Amino acid sequence: MDDTLITAAAATGLPVLPRRGGGAVLPSARAWADPARPRLVLADPATEAPRALLPLSRAAEVERAVARARGAIGQGDRAAILERLIAEIGARREEMAQAISRDMGSPIDFAREKQVEAACDHLRATLNALRAMSDRDEIAPGGHEVHHVPAGVAALITPWNWPLNQVALKVGGALAAGCAMILKPSELSTSAALIFADCMEAAGAPEGLFTLLAGDGETGRLLAAHPGIDIVSFTGSTSVGRGIAAAAGANLVPALLELGGKSANLLFADCDLALAVRQGVAHCFRNSGQSCNAASRMLVAREVYDAAVELAAEEAASWVMGAPATRGGHLGPLVSQAQYDRVQAHIEAALEDGARLVSGGPGRAEGFERGWYPRPTVFADVAPGMRLFREEVFGPVLSITPFEDEAEAVRLANEGEYGLAGYLQTADPARQRRVAQGLRVGMVQINGRSRAEGAPFGGVRQSGYGREAGIWGIRAFQVVKSVSGLDPL
Ligand code: NAD
């Protein structure tokens, strides 16, 4: 944390981010307004101008949050709170979308139609799963049962790229499981989480069941390591995830980790090539490439490789950058200077490694002199030894690689250290099953069909462990208790 930056900016009279959520939010109202408190300067991704200050929680707030939560485990009618929460968010959709668009630069229509709607869908799926499941399973006649009990106090640490969606996945699952929750949203996207905290209050969450801890990485580090936490759920970078797993391990509590990815999209010659390439490019570029499950590595059968590269270059050229507040289907800027610099470094590395640039390239998108707008970029002939083949870019940069046969396609897809998602385009039902089985990933999607409601979300290997959404997202926050010898009531 750069304290100089905080002090200098505080003196410029930037507004403090509006605090909402009442007593469920820390720092407290007084500390929030205190200029002596550490504050982070938030910048506008579209103009780079400083726009607001975010007060940061430190050890005292973490202590308070844990103390609040300890008494609230298992409190409240979970289904009723969840149902009211969905209604509250529904009523504040537009406010949420505006907050997301302002914080992370998401184009407003994308924020409305995807960012907010995905969160609402997940909460509804969680409610449906909760209603369909039981906290008790009989495992043998004669009073032998397994009880699913809340893990306890859950620390939920989320990133900025799908700011409401990730909050909804974690809070939905933990709430339905009966946990008390402490949410530490990303410092770059706290506005939507503050409105969410307001919705939790309005939904009637009992005192301490939900606390929003505003803060940065240091806040997250203090929270994850606190001995009063019973389970940690984290979405973000693999490097931070590793530290969180170590902190949870030191306390011998579980960690659920949803980390990075470099997901392969396998295009076989029998697919509808034009459609597959169009959808594939979209699946890489959407949200300006800032999605953990982005289909960022396109692997194409040699017979149709040249045609696919040509189609991808044409398709990429049709994707334009635009301002977050402007309506339409364009891409928005990246979230931060750091993210912009990282994407540029990946593009430079691909050029150095000898990948063939077929669309876009280094530098700012045409027409922009300010703002973190990269050029939507496609590289062909990306060999497995190149950095672009293995490293997550988290920007609109697609890599394309040919394969000779099915065995090589699966081998290439499984290269690298990640294992989040795999995408498969083929009309052959037998191949669909073989390849789905061969991919070392947590999720496989075939021919552009979305996951079903409540389907588990998560990965393997360096993409983390643990699952979110639906019944799996609830069970992840529970522990099983074996009870034997119950007499009939
Ligand atoms: P990050 O991992 O640094 O931050 C994610 C969250 O963790 C934030 O809330 C942050 O405040 C918190 N955090 C940071 N350091 C922490 C620490 N030491 N202990 C506990 N919490 C900590 O991610 P980022 O900086 O937002 O993005 C960097 C990279 O992470 C991206 O380029 C991308 O590769 C990856 N990422 C992946 C996902 C995903 O969905 N899998 C989401 C966001 C970012």
Side-chain angles (χ1 to χ4, degrees):
M1 183 53 46
D2 185 344
D3 287 325
T4 330
L5 183 64
I6 292 170
T7 318
T12 65
L14 282 175
V16 180
L17 210 66
R19 183 180 179 284
R20 303 161 212 244
V25 171
L26 292 170
S28 65
R30 190 190 300 170
W32 195 272
D34 181 358
R37 152 139 326 243
R39 293 160 156 186
L40 184 71
V41 180
L42 301 174
D44 180 345
T47 64
E48 304 177 27
R51 65 181 179 92
L53 298 170
L54 174 71
L56 305 175
S57 298
R58 290 292 177 250
E61 283 79 21
V62 173
E63 282 303 331
R64 249 184 91 189
V66 173
R68 264 171 64 81
R70 292 246 46 108
I73 301 163
Q75 297 295 303
D77 179 337
R78 296 170 281 164
I81 298 169
L82 201 42
E83 196 171 0
R84 286 195 297 267
L85 176 66
I86 293 167
E88 290 296 331
I89 294 176
R92 299 179 70 166
R93 277 189 164 87
E94 181 58 20
E95 203 185 332
M96 292 277 199
Q98 296 285 352
I100 292 170
S101 177
R102 235 181 355 258
D103 275 359
M104 62 165 288
S106 173
I108 186 63
D109 282 346
F110 189 82
R112 286 182 182 127
E113 292 159 21
K114 303 291 180 205
Q115 292 275 6
V116 175
E117 289 312 309
C120 294
D121 289 349
H122 283 309
L123 287 172
R124 269 191 296 269
T126 301
L127 179 59
N128 290 341
L130 175 63
R131 288 194 169 131
M133 64 202 274
S134 165
D135 285 343
R136 290 173 183 209
D137 298 330
E138 186 183 52
I139 55 167
H144 300 284
E145 295 184 348
V146 162
H147 296 183
H148 302 273
V149 300
V153 176
L156 313 175
I157 302 176
T158 55
W160 42 263
N161 58 329
W162 284 85
L164 183 62
N165 183 56
Q166 282 144 340
V167 166
L169 275 169
K170 292 195 195 306
V171 173
L175 170 64
C179 288
M181 295 150 278
I182 303 172
L183 169 68
K184 207 302 284 172
S186 168
E187 55 273 38
L188 301 180
S189 63
T190 304
S191 307
L194 286 164
I195 303 169
F196 185 91
D198 235 2
C199 294
M200 283 295 280
E201 288 277 279
E207 170 83 20
L209 190 72
F210 173 86
T211 303
L212 189 161
L213 202 55
D216 56 0
E218 174 60 8
T219 315
R221 193 188 64 75
L222 292 168
L223 178 65
H226 195 287
I229 298 298
D230 299 304
I231 185 167
V232 188
S233 174
F234 168 78
T235 299
S237 59
T238 297
S239 57
V240 172
R242 206 167 272 128
I244 285 180
N251 289 333
L252 284 177
V253 298
L256 307 165
L257 304 172
E258 210 275 272
L259 310 176
K262 185 78 194 182
S263 299
N265 183 11
L266 288 69
L267 275 59
F268 285 87
D270 63 354
C271 74
D272 178 340
L273 193 68
L275 179 68
V277 170
R278 193 167 73 243
Q279 288 180 342
V281 170
H283 208 316
C284 177
F285 285 2
R286 173 179 315 144
N287 208 28
S288 297
Q290 303 167 117
S291 295
C292 50
N293 61 347
S296 53
R297 250 183 334 144
M298 189 179 278
L299 308 179
V300 184
R302 176 69 75 188
E303 308 92 282
V304 293
Y305 180 71
D306 291 340
V309 170
E310 202 171 310
L311 284 166
E314 272 168 30
E315 184 60 26
S318 74
W319 283 82
V320 292
M321 289 278 161
T326 305
R327 296 206 57 185
H330 53 277
L331 298 175
L334 299 170
V335 72
S336 64
Q337 179 77 55
Q339 200 60 27
Y340 180 81
D341 292 345
R342 243 177 250 156
V343 170
Q344 294 303 322
H346 281 289
I347 294 174
E348 295 295 348
L351 290 170
E352 268 170 36
D353 289 351
R356 176 160 60 100
L357 180 65
V358 296
S359 191
R364 220 180 236 106
E366 287 87 286
F368 293 94
E369 281 168 16
R370 293 194 71 72
W372 297 306
Y373 294 96
R375 299 171 70 193
T377 296
V378 179
F379 284 100
D381 306 346
V382 178
M386 295 180 186
R387 285 166 282 182
L388 187 62
F389 191 84
R390 293 164 182 273
E391 295 174 3
E392 183 181 45
V393 175
F394 234 60
V397 180
L398 177 69
S399 87
I400 314 185
T401 305
F403 63 80
E404 302 301 332
D405 56 23
E406 187 180 308
E408 188 185 24
V410 173
R411 190 174 55 69
L412 287 173
N414 287 338
E415 285 222 13
E417 48 182 22
Y418 293 113
L420 190 55
Y423 303 93
L424 171 58
Q425 322 301 327
T426 176
D428 178 346
R431 176 148 57 205
Q432 292 170 0
R433 284 159 179 79
R434 280 195 308 269
V435 175
Q437 194 179 351
L439 294 177
R440 289 201 286 158
V441 295
M443 302 173 280
V444 178
Q445 270 175 266
I446 300 167
N447 292 333
R449 271 172 240 142
S450 311
R451 287 184 311 281
E453 180 191 285
F457 191 102
V460 296
R461 303 159 73 208
Q462 302 295 303
S463 296
Y465 43 79
R467 292 293 179 269
E468 301 196 294
I471 188 167
W472 290 271
I474 301 173
R475 289 288 188 234
F477 286 101
Q478 293 178 321
V479 290
V480 288
K481 185 188 280 182
S482 175
V483 180
S484 299
L486 291 166
D487 287 323
L489 279 172

